[in-house]
Every structure is written in C-alpha cells, then in structure tokens.
Amino acid sequence: MRGGKRTKKRLWRWRSNPLRRRDDVLEAWLVLAVWALIAVGGTLAGAVTARAADDVFAQQRAERTHVRAVLLVDTPHAAPNSYRVVAKVRWTAPDGFVHTGKTLVGAGKKAGTDIEVWTDAQDELTTAPPSRDEATLETGLLGAAAALTASGLAFGVGGLARWRLDRRRVDQWGREWDLVGPQWGHKTG
C-alpha cells in the first residue's frame, strides 16, 4: 500500500461505532483522566512543594544568625581534595553565654583567628541559611521535581491500566475467535 494515505479519525473512541467495545470507551475516559491528572495534579504538586520549600527557607533565614567566633586550635593545611576542616570554636551568644563547638573552617588557620559561624534559635552551631537567590533556585527545582514526579506517577498508572485493558481485549478477541473461527471454512490437516 505504498503511497496510500492513512486516514486518522480523531476521537474515534468517543464516536458511535459498531466495532467499539465498552473497553474502548473506558480507555478514552482513562486517557482523559490521566491527562487531567498530569495537568492539574502535576501543577498542584509543584506549586505546593515550591510554596512549602520557600516557607522553610524563609524560616531558616529568620531563625539563623551569624556570630563572631574564635578558633581555639590551629587547623591543618588542607588535603588535596578538601579546603575546609573541622575545628573547635568559641562564641558568645546574644544572651551573653559563652559556647564552644565544632564546625567547618578554612584550612591552614591559626588559633585565635576570628571567624563567622551561624547559630540557630537554641544557640547551636548550624549551617548558613540559603540566600534568597539560592532559595529561589532550590524552590524552583523542588517544585519542578514534584510536578514531574506526580505527572510521571499518573502517566505510569495510566499506562499500566491501558496495558491491562489491552490484555483484556486480546483475551476477549481470542475467546470470540474460538467461537467464530470454526465456522469460516474447512480445517486443514
């Protein structure tokens, strides 16, 4: 059938057709539901995740403060694959209490060097909160990942359901052929 044109009927599962089966209509509704879930569910999952991540990052920026600390020991020079080492530091909290703890500091520093550290609401050492730009980027990536995950899950479940419908159709065709096939002529053998 070279050069022939293949006609393609749009929305054929929705149209009245003597060959259309109940599973064809079910598949049409399934495809519609999957695409709706991908569009709405994926968007909603991405927006909710991005909003939650943005709130967490804003809370971190509000709770964490940087304070001056003094390095208590000399730090060794860096190994070839690192430029920061763990060292003991001392700092004074805003309430006047003196604290000590271990944190990452630049390699090759001498004891008594002033450094900046970050503390949380309990005056414990913590990491620096993400800047607004870093938080925006991470929020966008987390939202996109959530949207893709929700969409992929909907697509996968829909694909599995369509596969099961196809298996059911093939089984039905086999049963019907077993009934009709012998009426179509002579048997060879």
Side-chain angles (χ1 to χ4, degrees), residues 3-66:
K5 250 178 146 179
R6 181 175 173 209
T7 59
K8 194 172 194 181
K9 291 257 184 180
R10 299 262 183 226
L11 304 172
W12 69 271
R13 287 181 178 92
W14 299 95
R15 296 179 185 194
S16 181
N17 181 340
L19 298 178
R20 184 183 72 181
R21 297 172 185 254
R22 190 175 71 82
D23 286 351
D24 295 331
V25 176
L26 185 61
E27 184 178 20
W29 282 106
L30 177 70
V31 168
L32 182 65
V34 165
W35 283 110
L37 276 174
I38 287 172
V40 175
T43 302
L44 188 62
V48 167
T49 301
R51 175 64 184 204
D54 193 40
D55 291 346
V56 168
F57 295 141
Q59 182 180 1
Q60 286 178 354
R61 283 193 300 274
E63 288 178 350
R64 296 180 185 181
T65 57
H66 63 84

